[in-house]
Amino acid sequence: MKNFRLYIPTDIHFGNDRLDELPEILAEYGKKVLLTYGGGSIKRTGLYDKISDLLDEAGFEVTELSGIAPNPKIDSVRKGVALIRENDIEVILAVGGGSVIDASKVIAGGVYYEGDPWDLVLDNKKMGQAIPIVDVLTLAATGTEMNRNAVISNPETNEKLGTSGWNLIPKASFLDPVNTFSVPKNQTAAGSADILSHLFEQYFNRTKGTDVQDNIAEGLMKAVIKNCPVALENPEDYNARANLMWSSTLALNGIPGNGRSGGWTCHPIEHELSAYYDITHGVGLAILTPRWMKFCVDTDPTTHEKFATYARNVWDVQEKDNEKAAHIGIEKTYHYFKKTTSVPMTLPEVGIADTKLVHEMSEHAVKNGHLGIAPFVPLEVSDVEKIINECFTDMTEF
Ligand code: NZQ
Ligand code: ZN
């Protein structure tokens, strides 16, 4: 196991009916609040009214930034920074999914930066101070509610990039599973695929002696695999939503990943798909994951043991031969996404009809994601092209 620093000071308020605690928490940071949210789901569910009433009663001065889109765009960040400066905002209250919270993080850092906030996405070393963020999470997926990362898109340059900063970690996160009852089936499935992918990216790793991290990751994978179909069947199953929400938070707050070295693979490739085609992040990951797994197993026999362990511990595969077990695990992963959770599993199904941008996206993925050196199996541009090209048709061999 490698050395690591784990710093996650977020004050988690988990469970139903805890919003009454919000005014007191917010007041620690100030009375002038920027309320950020997305395209209107919080108005439809009544959450907006509930929060507005609470803040009103407690005498907060609220400015709003609405319309933060999925794959949040840098323009929303620029608008948020301007609103904070115009209204002397002291704290951001982000209410929504990963997109709203990520945009809010870069807004929070952007306030302390003289230039264009896109610079902070291109170079996280420029990220310094930030104004405090409190969030009310409405979708289980990204883990942004308890980490220092944010992912922002720039449609003018076809870029979608991650940035980070220690001051971007939310001060408090309100995690009420009931707020996710209204998440539609496709977003529930995509969010679950995202959680699983976060775990895969950290689990498929060559650092030795990480039994703690491996066991935590396998346990979280099993919790997601079990509870996603329950939530799809009954969107108001509290415990299914609670398990998905808590898995989302734990999968990317450092606990399953710290202590290992090595980079991620499917995320940098998916970020190119959503940068160019604005597809749903979790869907892109579900499509890429089994093709990437197969590429690893087919090209690098040193991966067989880890993929076989995954197959046995997560999918109860009994096969003794490592290579065969690895292939069975990949097949189970693919069919879980396709049949159990009904995620679209080819690129044409999400509107990517031809291969004309595959080379360009692959070049960017290798460059931005350091795929040539960092991951479990290092990839060249031609390898990434092969993986993406496999995503145009259904998988029939595993
Ligand atoms: O905009 P509204 O109207 O709120 O609707 C949203 C949006 O259309 C809707 N939604 C959210 N909560 C809902 C709901 N609809 C009904 N009821 C609710 N309770 O769902 C749609 C998707 O929302 P979004 O916030 O985009 O989803 P998600 O949480 O999956 O966030 C995805 C973004 O996070 C980034 C992704 O790349 C993507 O940009 N990521 C951030 C990470 C991080 N900060 O650590 C890591 C991840 O790997 C990921 O890259
Ligand atoms: Zn993700």
Side-chain angles (χ1 to χ4, degrees):
M1 197 185 297
K2 306 270 182 196
N3 294 356
F4 61 88
R5 176 189 184 197
L6 181 68
Y7 175 69
I8 34 172
T10 308
D11 180 5
I12 296 288
H13 294 244
F14 191 98
N16 191 214
D17 272 340
R18 302 199 60 165
L19 265 191
D20 288 350
E21 298 158 29
L22 177 64
E24 196 184 327
I25 299 285
L26 270 182
E28 285 177 38
Y29 306 103
K31 281 283 184 174
K32 292 186 172 178
V33 178
L34 179 69
L35 172 64
T36 56
Y37 56 98
S41 70
I42 67 161
K43 291 203 167 161
R44 290 191 296 278
T45 59
L47 186 57
Y48 173 88
D49 285 342
K50 232 188 258 176
I51 289 175
S52 299
D53 290 349
L54 273 173
L55 298 189
D56 210 32
E57 275 165 29
F60 285 89
E61 223 177 279
V62 179
T63 303
E64 291 189 15
L65 173 67
S66 61
I68 296 173
N71 300 321
K73 314 298 180 280
I74 189 64
D75 262 355
S76 289
V77 174
R78 292 181 181 126
K79 274 186 205 152
V81 170
L83 282 174
I84 290 186
R85 289 184 178 146
E86 281 158 25
N87 298 283
D88 298 323
I89 300 290
E90 294 161 303
V91 53
I92 299 179
L93 175 59
V95 185
S99 295
V100 170
I101 299 173
D102 281 7
S104 302
K105 287 178 173 178
V106 184
I107 292 169
V111 176
Y112 286 93
Y113 181 72
E114 287 299 313
D116 182 9
W118 183 245
D119 297 347
L120 304 177
V121 181
L122 291 174
D123 181 5
N124 66 14
K125 287 193 280 307
K126 292 184 174 157
M127 190 76 80
Q129 267 182 279
I131 67 165
I133 301 170
V134 172
D135 68 79
V136 179
L137 184 70
T138 65
L139 199 164
T142 62
T144 188
E145 62 273 13
M146 203 177 186
N147 72 33
R148 61 194 165 106
N149 307 322
V151 186
I152 304 294
S153 294
N154 187 340
E156 283 168 25
T157 57
N158 285 327
E159 283 173 296
K160 176 180 177 181
L161 300 170
T163 186
S164 69
W166 292 108
N167 296 316
L168 306 185
I169 304 172
K171 299 291 181 204
S173 290
F174 283 76
L175 309 183
D176 181 350
V178 172
N179 288 334
T180 64
F181 282 3
S182 55
V183 175
K185 283 188 194 306
N186 62 337
Q187 289 291 345
T188 301
S192 300
D194 190 22
I195 305 170
L196 285 172
S197 179
H198 297 157
L199 295 163
F200 297 152
E201 299 273 23
Q202 299 168 99
Y203 177 83
F204 290 104
N205 187 288
R206 298 190 188 259
T207 306
K208 298 276 180 237
T210 54
D211 293 342
V212 171
Q213 291 89 334
D214 286 348
N215 281 291
I216 290 172
E218 287 167 0
L220 291 171
M221 288 174 202
K222 289 208 270 197
V224 176
I225 289 165
K226 175 180 164 193
N227 285 287
C228 175
V230 180
L232 291 173
E233 180 71 25
N234 177 8
E236 303 202 358
D237 186 309
Y238 182 86
N239 280 327
R241 292 296 194 180
N243 277 285
L244 291 178
M245 195 168 226
W246 194 222
S247 307
S248 133
T249 309
L250 292 178
L252 201 48
N253 70 352
I255 287 174
N258 284 2
R260 316 173 196 253
S261 57
W264 292 26
T265 312
C266 289
H267 270 69
I269 305 176
E270 195 295 313
H271 284 175
E272 296 307 321
L273 297 177
S274 22
Y276 281 81
Y277 295 98
D278 211 4
I279 67 169
T280 300
H281 174 62
V283 173
L285 291 169
I287 295 171
L288 286 164
T289 295
R291 278 86 177 189
W292 161 72
M293 288 178 164
K294 183 166 172 6
F295 179 89
C296 295
V297 171
D298 284 348
T299 59
D300 185 348
T302 66
T303 67
H304 292 176
E305 190 181 343
K306 187 81 185 205
F307 277 104
T309 304
Y310 160 70
R312 292 181 189 123
N313 292 356
V314 176
W315 296 104
D316 294 326
V317 170
Q318 301 297 321
E319 171 61 53
K320 298 259 183 322
D321 177 79
N322 280 350
E323 186 174 2
K324 284 186 191 153
H327 287 292
I328 299 170
I330 298 168
E331 185 171 6
K332 289 198 177 284
T333 309
Y334 178 80
H335 287 307
Y336 175 78
F337 287 136
K338 188 174 165 71
K339 293 188 182 148
T340 311
T341 73
S342 301
V343 176
M345 285 301 282
T346 64
L347 292 179
E349 287 171 76
V350 295
I352 304 178
D354 58 53
T355 57
K356 64 175 187 251
L357 292 171
V358 170
H359 181 70
E360 192 173 321
M361 292 191 295
S362 304
E363 280 187 329
H364 290 184
V366 170
K367 181 168 159 273
N368 295 331
H370 308 289
L371 298 184
I373 42 169
F376 189 48
V377 174
L379 302 179
E380 294 176 6
V381 173
S382 58
D383 300 328
V384 178
E385 280 185 82
K386 188 167 187 302
I387 291 168
I388 300 180
N389 282 329
E390 290 291 334
C391 297
F392 282 86
T393 51
D394 279 321
M395 270 179 103
T396 50
E397 282 175 29
F398 302 92

